[in-house]
Amino acid sequence: MSTATAVPTAGPGRGPVTELFLGGGRARRVTWLLVGLLVLFSAVRVISGQQALTSSSTFGAALLLAVPLLLVALGGLFAERAGVVNIGLEGMMILGTWGAGWAGYQWGWVGALVGGALFGALGGLLHAVATVTFGVDHVVSGVAINILAAGVVRFLSELLYTDNAAGGGVTQSPALSSRPPSFSLPVLSSGPDLLGDLESRHWFLVSDLAGLLRGVSSGVGVLTVLAVLMVPAAYLLLWRTAFGLRLRSCGENPAAADSLGVPVYRLKYIAVVISGTLAGLGGVFLVFIANIYREGQTNGRGFIGLAALIFGNWRPGGLAAGAGLFGFADALQLRSQTAVVALLLLVAFLLAAVAVWQAVRGKWTQAVIAAAFAAAALAAFLTIEELPDGIVSFTPHLTTLLVLSLASQRLRPPKADGLVYRRGEH
């Protein structure tokens, strides 16, 4: 049985870039939003005196730390668009880190890529067998994979790293035998360091923009660029091809898709294996950052990647923004503990804006609550000089909770996401 599948095109006035980041929204509004955020960050930097808030080193670290979250979120996108909830992203990321560490010290960074991707794909395959073939509850299967992955990598480490000459015992691998290549954009980083000079002057907005451009253009890994390019590639594959349309139909109405000849089970398998592969690659990038595998290296980043996916409303552009936000929070707490206090002022401004917006819409209860929290954040900024180390290290997770609580009202997951499908039962 053959079926003709029409690939939808963008609506009137909606170009591919608009569709990628907004899912049919207004690109101009997002442009102004980004400009407003840059102005807000610049104002907070000037008021707080925390130059690390928009320094090139912070933005460079944010890009580096956002890539693993981005890959994990993209992995979750494929699985959930096919109707399979993948709570096991953390476990697949753990498998990817171990595979990258083991293969990387023997065969270099190329071996690390292959090893991490294969181990992650095995985790995805296990999740697909449990959920698609045997109908196990998706959340139960994902939690089981997270627990199983931690035990499996510990067992493998004790089996293979007992005589680790590099030290560290069974909790880490030897260092990678080679590092992935990196480059700097010639237009922005060659010749006199104009961007560095502008950044060092600490001018309002100009220095912040210079820090942003310098941070994302100097010493960027080739694989980092390729990972970022996966965002438009995922959009084109899922929203501009017949394969993507069929895969998304499995997450919206698998019974209808099955009746039209779409191989629902096969596509779910493919999507979940791709999901595990991308999560494993996220683990590979963590190994590249440290140049070594360490036990507990993911530190919950698989769950943060899942949060980025939810924050992005299951869209490639949205999840990229979420990964960037969480990566920035992670980079800031690593670069400067005192700069984290400046985030309280940023939160106060944002909540004040939310209070004004809710008041304009006539929702006075929400406006009063937002204003109260804004006042509390401002008071904390004025009275706290330095946060305890435990709270500082927890900054990315707190950011995740705050963002999800604010974005939860506009979420629209795939209709059949998480439902066990059996042919003839629906």
Side-chain angles (χ1 to χ4, degrees):
M1 177 179 179
S2 61
T3 58
T5 307
V7 181
T9 58
R14 297 175 182 175
V17 176
T18 308
E19 290 283 340
L20 167 63
F21 283 93
L22 297 179
R26 297 178 177 84
R28 184 179 302 176
R29 180 179 298 175
V30 167
T31 302
W32 282 111
L33 177 61
L34 294 176
V35 172
L37 285 175
L38 184 60
V39 172
L40 179 59
F41 269 89
S42 182
V44 171
R45 175 188 61 82
V46 172
I47 295 172
S48 65
Q50 297 295 335
Q51 307 304 330
L53 194 65
T54 58
S55 67
S56 57
S57 61
T58 300
F59 283 123
L63 176 63
L64 197 63
L65 294 170
V67 167
L69 304 179
L70 176 66
L71 290 171
V72 172
L74 282 174
L77 176 69
F78 275 89
E80 302 214 6
R81 279 294 175 179
V84 179
V85 172
N86 195 352
I87 302 294
L89 289 170
E90 172 76 7
M92 297 169 197
M93 196 178 192
I94 291 173
L95 292 173
T97 57
W98 193 93
W102 176 75
Y105 87 87
Q106 299 183 79
W107 301 296
W109 66 270
V110 176
L113 273 177
V114 176
L118 286 177
F119 271 74
L122 287 175
L125 180 61
L126 178 61
H127 188 47
V129 170
T131 57
V132 179
T133 300
F134 292 104
V136 176
D137 183 89
H138 297 189
V139 175
V140 172
S141 174
V143 172
I145 287 175
N146 291 335
I147 298 172
L148 182 65
V152 166
V153 298
R154 178 69 181 192
F155 169 76
L156 292 175
S157 294
E158 292 185 353
L159 188 66
L160 298 174
Y161 295 151
T162 304
D163 301 323
N164 188 355
V170 299
T171 61
Q172 68 179 47
S173 70
L176 303 185
S177 58
S178 64
R179 300 295 297 268
S182 61
F183 70 99
S184 297
L185 297 179
V187 177
L188 298 177
S189 57
S190 62
D193 191 5
L194 176 61
L195 292 177
D197 181 61
L198 289 175
E199 182 186 356
S200 64
R201 294 180 183 274
H202 306 309
W203 289 338
F204 177 75
L205 195 59
V206 175
S207 295
D208 306 286
L209 182 60
L212 173 61
L213 295 176
R214 188 176 180 224
V216 300
S217 64
S218 301
V220 181
V222 173
L223 298 177
T224 299
V225 176
L226 294 178
V228 172
L229 291 178
M230 285 186 181
V231 176
Y235 164 74
L236 293 174
L237 179 62
L238 290 175
W239 273 269
R240 285 292 178 268
T241 66
F243 167 80
L245 180 60
R246 294 187 179 103
L247 187 145
R248 288 186 294 116
S249 70
C250 297
E252 296 293 341
N253 194 333
D258 202 357
S259 68
L260 294 174
V262 175
V264 174
Y265 293 134
R266 185 196 310 165
L267 287 175
K268 284 179 178 286
Y269 260 89
I270 291 173
V272 180
V273 171
I274 291 175
S275 177
T277 302
L278 290 171
L281 288 175
V284 172
F285 272 83
L286 290 179
V287 173
F288 284 162
I289 293 173
N291 199 39
I292 202 171
Y293 159 77
R294 289 189 179 93
E295 191 173 294
Q297 199 163 22
T298 58
N299 194 28
R301 286 182 173 87
F303 298 113
I304 297 179
L306 181 61
L309 170 67
I310 298 171
F311 165 77
N313 212 9
W314 292 268
R315 302 284 304 195
L319 66 85
L325 174 63
F326 301 143
F328 176 81
D330 201 1
L332 190 62
Q333 62 95 8
L334 291 174
R335 289 293 175 181
S336 173
Q337 291 190 358
T338 56
V340 175
V341 180
L343 290 179
L344 293 171
L345 180 60
L346 180 67
V347 170
F349 282 141
L350 290 175
L351 289 176
V354 171
V356 172
W357 173 247
Q358 296 290 2
V360 170
R361 298 173 62 191
K363 297 184 177 180
W364 296 104
T365 302
Q366 293 89 330
V368 171
I369 293 175
F373 278 102
L378 180 60
F381 168 74
L382 295 175
T383 56
I384 297 175
E385 294 184 2
E386 186 174 344
L387 291 170
D389 292 341
I391 295 180
V392 171
S393 62
F394 204 62
T395 300
H397 304 81
L398 291 176
T399 304
T400 303
L401 292 174
L402 178 62
V403 167
L404 287 181
S405 63
L406 293 176
S408 61
Q409 297 180 355
R410 293 191 175 185
L411 299 179
R412 194 275 181 192
K415 290 182 179 179
D417 193 19
L419 300 180
V420 176
Y421 173 70
R422 284 289 175 267
R423 183 175 296 157
E425 294 182 3
H426 295 267

